[in-house]
Amino acid sequence: MTEDLSRPAWHAFERGQVLSMLKSGAEGLTQAEADARLRQIGPNVFERTPPASIRKILVQQFRSVVVGLLIVAILIAVLTGDVPDALAIGAVLLLNVSIGFITELRAHRAMEALLALEVPRAWVVRDGSTREIDARELVPGDVILVEAGQSVPADARLLECAELRTTEASLTGESLPVDKRSDPLEPDAPLPDRANMLYKTTALVAGRGRAVVTATGMATEVGKIGRLTAAVRETQTPLERRLDLLGHRLAGVALSVAVVVAALGLVQGAPLAELLQAAIALAVAAVPEGLPVVGTIAMAVGVRRMARRRALVRHLPVVETLGSATVICTDKTGTLTAGSMTLSVIQLYDGATPIPETSFAPSPDVALALRIAVLANRAELVESQGEWKPQGDPTEAAVLVAARKAGLDYRALRQDWLEIGELPFSSERMYMATFHRTPQGPVACVKGAPGRLVPWSTRALTREGPRVLDDAGRNRLLELNRELAGRGHRVLAVAMKQTDGITEEDLRGLTWVGYLGLSDPPAPGVQATIRSFQEAGIRTVMLTGDQQLTAESVARDLGLLASGAAGLDGRELDRLSDDDLSQAVGQTVVYSRVSPEAKLRIVSAYQAREDIVAMLGDGVNDAAALRKADIGVAMGLRGTDLAKEAADVILADDRFATIAVAVEQGRIIFDNIRKFVFYLFSCNLAELIVMLGAGLVGFPVPLLPLQILWLNLVTDTFPALVLAVEPGEPGVMQQPPRDPRAAILDAELMRATVLYGVLIAACALGAFAWGLSGPGGGTPRASTLAFLTLAFAQIFHLGNARSAGPVLSVRRALSNPLALAAVALALALQLLAVEYPPIAEVLRVRPPDPWDWIVAIALGLVPAVAGQTVKAARAMHREPSRRAAGSSGR
C-alpha cells in the first residue's frame, strides 16, 4: 500500500468539509472513481509480515563467544591431526548451536493476528444507490451505512447517526460503550474522545449511522498499531546480556592464560605439538559446555511451574526477565478491576445505601429507585447453564443484577407497569424515558445524566416525602453527583413524574428519586498483589483509556495513588517531549486517556531510565507496548489475538495476582541461574588455573582436551542441572529488584568464584605433583590423579553452590533430593571413567592404586569442607544479630 499515514484530524472538521476534502459527496463515490482509488491505494486489508528467516536465526547462533572458542579448538585439533578431540568438541558445538536455535526459532506472527480482525462485508453508497460489497474494496471517500450488530469495516467520520453506540475497549481502553455523535470536536481531542469517528474492527452495539470512509487497511488506527507492533525491534533479555558479558570476560581470561602458557612453553623449550594441545585444552576449559543445557532446563522448569499457576510462557528467556522487573505497567479494566459494571451504591437525598454482593432487603425509597431504573432499561438477563448472564448495555445490565439481588423481578415489574411510550437514549438527549400505565395513573420513568435531569427536577424524594427543590437544593444534588464521581462511580440519575404526555416537554417538573453509582470494582486479590509488589520494590503503573477522575479514584482504592496525588492525562502527556516524559514517569503511576502511541512512549521512557518493564494488556491498543516491553503479558481469556501474539507471557486465568506468582518464580529462577553459573564458572576457572599453574612451575600439560570435556559435560553438568530446581530462598519477594545493569556474578560472588577456583585448582595441582613423585610416578599417573581430584572437588563443591548458607543439616540437605542423586551419579560415572577400560583408554587415564584414591578423595573434599565451615560460622554469627534486632524491635 502507498498511502501516506499522516492525515488530517477528520474529527475536527464539519461534515461538509470532510466530504469536500475527500472529494466525495452525500451520495458517495461513483463506481469508476472507487475503482480508480482502489488501484491507486490498494485494498482495505491488513498486510502480512514475513516470519523470521530460519537462516538468519541459525547464523546468529554462531556469533557467540562460546561458539567461537569451540570453533578455534576444533581447527587446532584438525590441524594437529587429533581427530577424536575434533569430533568430541564438534559434538559439543553442535549441541550448543542446536539448543540456541530451537530456543529462538519462532515466527514473528504479531501482524498475522490482525488478519483475524478483518471485516468481510460492508454496505456502501455507490452511484447514488446502496449495495453490499466486499469490505476489501472500500476506499477513502466511500459513504458507508452501519448499524447495531455489525463491525466497522474501515475508519470513518460520522455524517449522521441515531442512538449509535460502539465498544472500543480493545482499541482505546475505554471500559464503557461510547455514545457517538456527528458534530465536530476539538483538534487535540485524544483518540478515546473522538465521538464522531468510527474505527475499523470495533463493534456497534446500538443504533445506526452514516459515515464517510477516511482511512482503509494499514492507514486505519488498528493498522497503525500493527505497524507500531511490527516496527518494535526485539532486544536481548537481561539474562542474555549478562551471559554475553560473562562469555566475553571468560574468553579474555582464556586468551590471557593461553598467551602466558605459550610463552612459558617456548621459554622451557616445549614441543609445538604439546603447546597446541595445551591451547586446545585451554579453549575447552574456558567454555562452560553445560551452561546452555542447564540454562535452558532451568527456564523450562520455571515455565512448568508457572504453567501450574496459570501463567503460560511463550519465550524461555523471559522466565528470568520476570524476576528482574522493576516496573509493571497494566491496563485497568478487567485487569486491576473486575471488567464488569456493578451497581455499588444508591444515593438518596437523605443518605447513601451500599449495594451488597449478596441478596438484600431494600428500603421503599431504594426499591423505587431500582424500579425506575429497571423500567427505563433495555437490557435482559438470560439464563444459561444454570446462571443468569446479562445481555445489552453493561450499565443497564448492572441495574438488573442489583434489582435481582433486591428480590425485584424486572419482568413482572414491566408487566405491572405496562409501557405505553418511550423516548430512547441518545448522545444528544443524554437520558432515556419510558411511559407506563399504572394503577395510580400514567407515569414517566427517567434515567440519565445528572446534569440533564437535575435542572428539570422541581422536587426531590426524601424520607418525609417529596420536597420542593430551589436552586440551593439542586446545587446540593449536583454536589452529591460530584462526590460520587470523585469516588470513581459512573453516576446516573433516576426521576419520575405523573404525566399523560410522552414528549420531552412533558418531563419538565420531575421528582428526583436518587443517583445510581456504578463502578468496575477491583478484581479479587489485586490490592494484596500491589502490596506484595511494593514490598518487592516493584512499581505498579496504571495505563487506561478511562477518564482521569475515574482512573485516579480506582488507583487510590487500590493503594496505587496517594491521597492528594494526581495522574497524567493523555493530552498532557502528548505535549511532553521525550526528555520531559522520562522525568515525569519517575513520579507518575496513573495515566488516563492514553493512546497506543502514548503507551509505547511510556514503556520506552521507563526503559530509557534502565527500568525492566513488564506490560499487561488485552486489547489491540496494547500490542505495540506489549512487544516493546521487556516482558509482554497478555490476558488469555479476553485478550485479542494480536495482544497474545505480541506477548511473551499469557495469563490463562486473567488474574492480576498470577503475575506476582510469575515474578516470584522469575526471581527464584535467576537465583538458581546465579548458583549454577557460579558453580560452572568456578569449576572452569579451576581448570584454567590448573593449566596455568602447571606451566608456571614447569610441569607437563596436566589435562588433555578430552579429559576436560569429560569434566565439563559429565562431572559438572549433572550436579549443575539440579541447581535449576533448587527451592527459593526465604524472603525472595521481600528483596528489592536487581539492578538491571548488574552482572550475574556480583562482586561478592565473583570473589567467591575466584577463591573456590583457586582452591580447587590448588588441590588438583597438589594431586598432580603427588602423581609425578614417588615410585611409579610420571605424567600418566599424575594426569589421572589431577583428573580424579578435579572431578571430586567439583562434585562436592555442589554443596557450596546450593545455598548462601550451609547445607549440613538433614532438612536442608534433603530439600532438593535430586542433588544427592546427582552427586551419586557423577561419582559413579567418574569411577567408570578410570576403571572401565574402553572409556579409560579414550580418556588416556589408568586405574589408580589405593593410595591414589585416598589422596584424590581427601584433596577433593577440601573445598567443600572449607566452604561449609565458613558458611556455618557466618550463620552462627548472624543468628545472635537477628535475635538482638528482634528484641530491640519488640
Side-chain angles (χ1 to χ4, degrees):
M1 296 181 63
T2 59
E3 76 273 20
D4 183 5
L5 296 185
S6 59
R7 55 184 184 274
W10 300 111
H11 59 276
F13 295 101
E14 294 285 352
R15 286 162 285 191
Q17 289 179 284
V18 173
L19 288 169
S20 176
M21 294 166 68
L22 290 167
K23 297 179 180 179
S24 183
E27 298 303 316
L29 301 173
T30 65
Q31 187 62 50
E33 176 61 23
D35 291 341
R37 294 188 184 190
L38 186 62
R39 287 191 296 272
Q40 178 186 0
I41 295 174
N44 175 33
V45 295
F46 295 128
E47 295 175 353
R48 294 177 181 267
T49 299
S53 165
I54 293 178
R55 177 178 171 275
K56 181 179 179 182
I57 294 174
L58 184 61
V59 169
Q60 287 175 344
Q61 308 311 311
F62 289 90
R63 295 176 180 172
S64 163
V65 174
V66 169
V67 171
L69 286 173
L70 290 176
I71 291 174
V72 170
I74 292 172
L75 291 175
I76 295 174
V78 170
L79 291 174
T80 57
D82 196 343
V83 177
D85 282 357
L87 291 175
I89 300 169
V92 173
L93 173 64
L94 182 62
L95 178 66
N96 273 301
V97 170
S98 299
I99 289 171
F101 178 75
I102 292 170
T103 301
E104 293 184 25
L105 181 61
R106 65 182 181 88
H108 296 260
R109 297 182 300 162
M111 287 297 296
E112 294 293 315
L114 280 175
L115 303 178
L117 302 176
E118 292 284 12
V119 180
R121 308 291 292 175
W123 286 93
V124 64
V125 179
R126 294 263 178 93
D127 293 320
S129 62
T130 302
R131 68 186 75 167
E132 187 181 25
I133 65 169
D134 189 322
R136 292 177 296 180
E137 299 175 8
L138 286 176
V139 294
D142 264 328
V143 173
I144 57 174
L145 305 180
V146 294
E147 63 181 18
Q150 296 177 347
S151 292
V152 179
D155 284 8
R157 167 68 159 84
L158 280 166
L159 302 174
E160 58 186 62
C161 59
E163 304 164 24
L164 188 64
R165 310 184 83 189
T166 63
T167 55
E168 299 177 352
S170 66
L171 175 64
T172 66
E174 174 63 64
S175 58
L176 296 172
V178 179
D179 299 318
K180 294 295 183 177
R181 64 178 190 269
S182 57
D183 301 328
L185 304 169
E186 297 177 5
D188 63 346
L191 189 70
D193 289 342
R194 297 174 190 172
N196 57 13
M197 296 294 298
L198 299 176
Y199 299 112
K200 184 176 171 73
T201 76
T202 60
L204 293 101
V205 296
R208 54 184 174 79
R210 186 183 184 96
V212 58
V213 173
T214 57
T216 59
M218 297 305 292
T220 62
E221 293 297 334
V222 172
K224 286 169 61 181
I225 293 171
R227 286 190 188 275
L228 281 174
T229 304
V232 174
R233 297 181 61 186
E234 292 189 354
T235 58
Q236 285 185 310
T237 68
L239 175 63
E240 291 168 328
R241 291 194 293 268
R242 290 175 176 127
L243 288 177
D244 275 356
L245 179 61
L246 276 176
H248 282 87
R249 288 179 176 175
L250 196 60
V253 171
L255 290 173
S256 302
V257 172
V259 169
V260 172
V261 170
L264 290 170
L266 289 172
V267 170
Q268 296 164 2
L272 179 61
E274 186 176 319
L275 290 178
L276 290 174
Q277 193 173 57
I280 297 172
L282 283 167
V284 175
V287 176
E289 286 86 359
L291 186 59
V293 178
V294 179
T296 301
I297 289 176
M299 290 183 283
V301 168
V303 167
R304 187 182 64 187
R305 287 176 176 173
M306 291 183 192
R308 286 201 296 260
R309 303 295 293 273
R310 312 294 289 164
L312 310 179
V313 178
R314 300 179 68 231
H315 310 139
L316 277 183
V318 173
V319 175
E320 178 276 332
T321 311
L322 275 166
S324 308
T326 58
V327 174
I328 293 181
C329 296
T330 175
D331 188 19
K332 175 185 75 71
T333 304
T335 305
L336 298 178
T337 63
S340 59
M341 294 302 295
T342 301
L343 179 56
S344 52
V345 64
I346 293 180
Q347 176 71 55
L348 303 174
Y349 192 88
D350 304 298
T353 300
I355 304 300
E357 295 184 4
T358 56
S359 59
F360 68 103
S363 68
D365 292 345
V366 168
L368 179 59
L370 285 172
R371 175 186 286 266
I372 295 170
V374 161
L375 292 171
N377 194 310
R378 287 294 175 261
E380 295 285 343
L381 292 180
V382 179
E383 189 174 8
S384 175
Q385 298 179 345
E387 295 183 359
W388 289 94
K389 296 185 178 181
Q391 286 188 349
D393 182 90
T395 301
E396 295 192 332
V399 170
L400 298 188
V401 171
R404 186 173 178 80
K405 293 177 186 177
L408 301 179
D409 185 339
Y410 76 93
R411 290 188 176 88
L413 289 176
R414 290 173 180 175
Q415 290 178 355
D416 292 342
W417 285 27
L418 190 64
E419 184 176 315
I420 56 176
E422 174 192 12
L423 291 175
F425 179 88
S426 69
S427 55
E428 291 80 11
R429 191 174 282 135
M430 298 177 66
Y431 70 87
M432 175 184 183
T434 54
F435 300 85
H436 303 267
R437 185 179 295 116
T438 75
Q440 292 77 32
V443 170
C445 296
V446 191
K447 170 175 63 58
R452 178 58 62 93
L453 299 192
V454 169
W456 289 356
S457 299
T458 55
R459 296 189 301 174
L461 193 65
T462 70
R463 289 195 186 99
E464 289 75 29
R467 168 180 175 166
V468 175
L469 283 177
D470 53 14
D471 288 343
R474 278 187 281 270
N475 287 336
R476 179 176 180 273
L477 294 182
L478 293 175
E479 182 60 31
L480 287 176
N481 168 47
R482 285 189 288 270
E483 290 177 5
L484 281 176
R487 295 202 295 270
H489 295 291
R490 183 183 187 187
V491 184
L492 294 175
V494 288
M496 62 184 301
K497 180 185 179 182
Q498 288 190 331
T499 175
D500 291 326
I502 54 172
T503 68
E504 184 170 292
E505 290 302 317
D506 296 310
L507 298 180
R508 302 299 192 273
L510 292 170
T511 297
W512 180 90
V513 176
Y515 287 138
L516 309 178
L518 298 109
S519 61
D520 188 0
V526 167
Q527 290 158 309
T529 302
I530 290 173
R531 284 196 299 271
S532 73
F533 283 146
Q534 291 169 342
E535 292 174 1
I538 302 171
R539 296 182 66 202
T540 305
V541 176
M542 178 195 294
L543 312 179
T544 179
D546 274 340
Q547 300 286 349
Q548 185 170 5
L549 197 63
T550 302
E552 290 174 351
S553 174
V554 171
R556 290 191 184 95
D557 289 344
L558 294 172
L560 276 179
L561 193 65
S563 178
L568 192 64
D569 182 73
R571 293 192 187 190
E572 299 170 323
L573 189 151
D574 290 341
R575 289 193 288 266
L576 295 177
S577 67
D578 289 343
D579 290 339
D580 291 339
L581 180 59
S582 184
Q583 294 294 320
V585 295
Q587 293 81 38
T588 308
V589 295
V590 178
Y591 301 86
S592 57
R593 299 312 247 181
V594 288
S595 65
E597 293 88 349
K599 291 184 179 184
L600 190 61
R601 287 188 66 206
I602 291 167
V603 170
S604 299
Y606 280 114
Q607 290 175 327
R609 295 164 57 92
E610 298 188 332
D611 278 302
I612 302 298
V613 184
M615 172 72 197
L616 278 73
D618 57 7
V620 173
N621 61 323
D622 299 313
L626 287 169
R627 193 172 176 88
K628 174 65 176 174
D630 298 285
I631 315 109
V633 184
M635 299 299 161
L637 297 177
R638 68 174 185 281
T640 61
D641 288 343
L642 183 59
K644 293 175 188 177
E645 287 296 342
D648 305 295
V649 179
I650 297 174
L651 303 185
D653 56 6
D654 282 12
R655 294 180 66 246
F656 184 70
T658 303
I659 197 64
V661 174
V663 169
E664 181 180 16
Q665 286 299 320
R667 290 189 170 194
I668 292 172
I669 289 163
F670 182 76
D671 284 347
N672 290 346
I673 288 173
R674 277 167 51 93
K675 289 172 183 177
F676 67 67
V677 167
F678 159 70
Y679 175 74
L680 290 174
F681 276 51
S682 56
C683 293
N684 281 73
L685 183 61
E687 294 162 6
L688 286 173
I689 295 173
V690 166
M691 302 297 292
L692 176 61
L696 288 172
V697 298
F699 284 167
V701 175
L703 295 169
L704 300 175
L706 281 178
Q707 292 171 348
I708 295 176
L709 269 179
W710 176 273
L711 290 172
N712 287 354
L713 289 177
V714 177
T715 312
D716 291 355
T717 299
F718 287 112
L721 283 173
V722 302
L723 293 173
V725 295
E726 274 290 309
E729 300 283 348
V732 69
M733 284 299 282
Q734 278 70 54
Q735 301 296 322
R738 298 184 306 277
D739 184 345
R741 296 163 294 183
I744 290 180
L745 300 180
D746 56 25
E748 181 180 356
L749 210 53
M750 185 64 78
R751 284 193 297 271
T753 301
V754 173
L755 287 173
Y756 282 113
V758 171
L759 185 56
I760 294 171
C763 294
L765 285 171
F768 189 73
W770 168 273
L772 289 173
S773 64
T779 301
R781 178 187 179 216
S783 181
T784 299
L785 269 172
F787 177 59
L788 272 177
T789 303
L790 263 176
F792 292 149
Q794 291 173 356
I795 292 168
F796 298 140
H797 178 46
L798 178 66
N800 296 327
R802 284 187 58 195
S803 173
V807 292
L808 299 174
S809 68
V810 174
R811 183 188 63 81
R812 187 64 184 87
L814 295 179
S815 63
N816 184 1
L818 291 175
L820 300 180
V823 168
L825 176 62
L827 289 173
L829 289 171
Q830 193 61 27
L831 178 64
L832 192 67
V834 295
E835 295 290 353
Y836 184 58
I839 299 178
E841 185 177 346
V842 172
L843 294 175
R844 300 178 199 174
V845 295
R846 69 181 202 182
D849 60 36
W851 274 108
D852 289 343
W853 278 111
I854 292 172
V855 169
I857 293 172
L859 289 173
L861 282 169
V862 169
V865 171
Q868 292 302 299
T869 302
V870 171
K871 291 186 177 190
R874 287 179 177 172
M876 292 176 64
H877 176 72
R878 283 195 298 266
E879 188 61 30
S881 302
R882 283 198 294 265
R883 289 176 181 173
S887 300
S888 63
R890 288 191 292 270

